[in-house]
Amino acid sequence: MNFVDDSVELREVQKLEGHTDRVWGLAWNPATGSAGIPAVLASCSGDKTVRIWQQNPSNGPFQCTAVLEETHTRTVRSCAWSPSGKLLATASFDATTAIWEHSGGDFECVSTLEGHENEVKSVSWNASGSLLATCGRDKSVWIWEVLPGNEFECVSVLQGHAQDVKMVQWHPTVDVLFSCSYDNTVKVWAEDGDSDDWHCVQTLGESNNGHSSTVWALSFNATGDKMVTSSDDLTIKIWGADIIRMQSGGIFAPLPAIMIEQFFQYIGQVFTSEYDREGVIASGAADDAVRLFVESEESKIDGPTYNLLTRKEKAHDMDINSVQWNSA
Amino acid sequence: MTLGLINANPVVHAKKERIARTDDLHCDDNVDPLDIYDILFAIVVAFDLEVGWIHFVRDIRDPEHPYSLEQLSVLSEESITVDEKLGRILITFTPTIQHCSMATVIGLCLRVKLKDCFPPHFKVDIKVAPGSHADEESVNKQLNDKERVAAALENPNLRQLVDECLYSNEL
């Protein structure tokens, strides 16, 4: 694999300090960062808090504008803004998911979702903000409906993974849910049109070119026709999703996702990968490096290929837990 | 948490003669702990790094028996390999019997002790010696999943057990 462009480089613009334990997750508020609204970032940590950072002024450095504390009693593992940017969901090892609303500069916990038997690892909002998904070490995936007045109702508890579920992620355009797990698989969940019953429509495991160890994360490109998965097996894999089949409704076609390519560059477990708006993939791993991959411009008969655009070694002093592009 | 003793008759070996060390952080009140740490760290790097590691890890107790892991042959000098180029350390330990359910606890104790004594950027892999445990793959996977390790150490019962192994100091 070659470097496509030697002049592309990742440059650190700011280091945000404040958390007193490792930072596990990040999320950009989607309603900020453009049209004069300063970008807002949430970070969550082993110190049991969530910090809110805001660019102040719009082009200036980020400052911490709020600390959400005294709510979670254990590590906060993941955070996610609702599509409107009005609500922030935080998933914790204390087995709860908290929902925060902000008015002015303050954040208030307006709801607490309980039900998981132990650590909640991830939370994700669907594209319209009408549904929320959570997953955890109890091997289950929960789907919650968002009701008026900050009420949340569990509509489904999905069993199927054989182990700890590390992450859930809604497809960006279709209400199909993806989950990845310590059981080395990615599962796809969809609602049966008539019966409102959610079930697993596909499992991406070793037998269909899947990962050979824990899958830590998955992420979609903007149009949702590609997905990248990151794994303990030291690879990331790119999958092609057949959206037409996914959208056709009724009985789902059995194979919406097929593996396109995988990368073996890593010397540490890959914890996170994410597509940006233009299809550049950023990934972070246990070798402390951040890598950027881009689809090759040469088209090939059997499908797209990817090149390493740049690698930032020692981006941090320790493992990279999460990468998130600001899509504004 | 109370567990019935699983291995009631462990084989106990004589303790090896140990080289005296000047690194007991708890007993010297006059010198700045950071100075001690710097001196200690430099010595370890200057001489044989693997021997340096042994002084920290072999005094951890097996959670069920009041003998050190060295006395029970859970750990030996051969247990530790360092890849200085990659900055990775591999610790291989042998649980006292094949079905030792305390294998994950021993592994957790090793992780906590190493984290206390060495800079956080050292990558540590902990595995059971091949063939020494019935659920080798499952134990190894848990011990090397940092999210699982972090969550386990937030469990107060487990944390207490680990702390008792590491910090009770009669032998």
Side-chain angles (χ1 to χ4, degrees), chain A residues 129-142:
Chain A
S130 62
L131 297 170
L132 193 65
T134 58
C135 66
R137 182 166 64 88
D138 63 5
K139 308 173 197 169
S140 67
V141 172
W142 290 54

Side-chain angles (χ1 to χ4, degrees), chain A residues 260-272:
Chain A
I260 298 174
E261 186 161 348
Q262 67 181 347
F263 299 98
F264 289 96
Q265 297 242 319
Y266 300 88
I267 52 173
Q269 301 108 312
V270 193
F271 295 116
T272 177

Side-chain angles (χ1 to χ4, degrees), chain A residues 22 74-75 77 93 119 121 164 166 182 184 214 216 269 271 286 288 317-319 321, chain B residues 86 88 120-121 123 125 138 141-148 150-152 154-156:
Chain A
R22 53 162 65 117
R74 292 204 186 166
T75 288
R77 177 62 180 88
F93 285 179
E119 299 93 64
K121 305 266 170 116
D164 182 12
K166 298 296 198 186
Y182 185 100
N184 310 349
T214 298
W216 282 102
Q269 301 108 312
F271 295 116
D288 310 346
D317 296 330
M318 294 173 68
D319 300 357
N321 291 324
Chain B
L86 287 180
R88 297 199 83 94
H121 62 264
K123 314 282 184 187
D125 296 313
S138 160
K141 195 172 182 181
Q142 281 185 72
L143 288 177
N144 294 293
D145 179 320
K146 68 176 190 182
E147 187 186 64
R148 293 287 282 261
E154 284 189 349
N155 174 324

Side-chain angles (χ1 to χ4, degrees), chain A residues 270-283:
Chain A
V270 193
F271 295 116
T272 177
S273 296
E274 163 118 336
Y275 271 98
D276 81 346
R277 290 246 149 251
E278 273 114 57
V280 177
I281 300 168
S283 73

Side-chain angles (χ1 to χ4, degrees), chain A residues 109-223:
Chain A
C109 176
V110 296
S111 193
T112 302
L113 310 183
E114 293 175 341
H116 279 287
E117 286 170 27
N118 46 49
E119 299 93 64
V120 189
K121 305 266 170 116
S122 173
V123 60
S124 173
W125 300 83
N126 71 343
S128 63
S130 62
L131 297 170
L132 193 65
T134 58
C135 66
R137 182 166 64 88
D138 63 5
K139 308 173 197 169
S140 67
V141 172
W142 290 54
I143 299 182
W144 309 79
E145 204 175 336
V146 184
L147 302 169
N150 292 325
E151 295 284 317
F152 293 79
E153 189 184 308
C154 173
V155 296
S156 198
V157 176
L158 304 171
Q159 312 282 2
H161 276 296
Q163 296 276 0
D164 182 12
V165 190
K166 298 296 198 186
M167 186 186 219
V168 280
Q169 193 77 6
W170 287 97
H171 188 273
T173 60
V174 186
D175 279 346
V176 172
L177 182 65
F178 288 71
S179 60
C180 59
S181 166
Y182 185 100
D183 70 7
N184 310 349
T185 71
V186 173
K187 282 185 181 285
V188 186
W189 312 86
E191 198 176 9
D192 194 357
D194 304 323
S195 67
D196 290 347
D197 191 30
W198 289 83
H199 56 278
C200 178
V201 297
Q202 191 183 17
T203 299
L204 305 175
E206 258 181 292
S207 54
N208 29 26
N209 287 317
H211 288 288
S212 56
S213 190
T214 298
V215 188
W216 282 102
L218 64 101
S219 162
F220 292 95
N221 65 350
T223 47

Side-chain angles (χ1 to χ4, degrees), chain B residues 76-142:
Chain B
S76 70
E77 283 173 9
E78 291 73 40
S79 300
I80 295 161
T81 4
V82 177
D83 184 330
E84 281 188 61
K85 207 172 58 147
L86 287 180
R88 297 199 83 94
I89 294 152
L90 171 65
I91 313 251
T92 311
F93 71 97
T94 307
T96 45
I97 53 169
Q98 279 273 336
H99 295 92
C100 179
S101 62
M102 297 305 272
T104 43
V105 180
I106 295 174
L108 278 180
C109 289
L110 293 172
R111 280 212 177 274
V112 173
K113 183 72 172 182
L114 291 170
K115 197 169 76 145
D116 284 350
C117 294
F118 278 82
H121 62 264
F122 268 91
K123 314 282 184 187
V124 180
D125 296 313
I126 300 187
K127 299 193 169 171
V128 294
S132 68
H133 194 280
D135 286 323
E136 185 177 320
E137 270 184 39
S138 160
V139 172
N140 288 342
K141 195 172 182 181
Q142 281 185 72

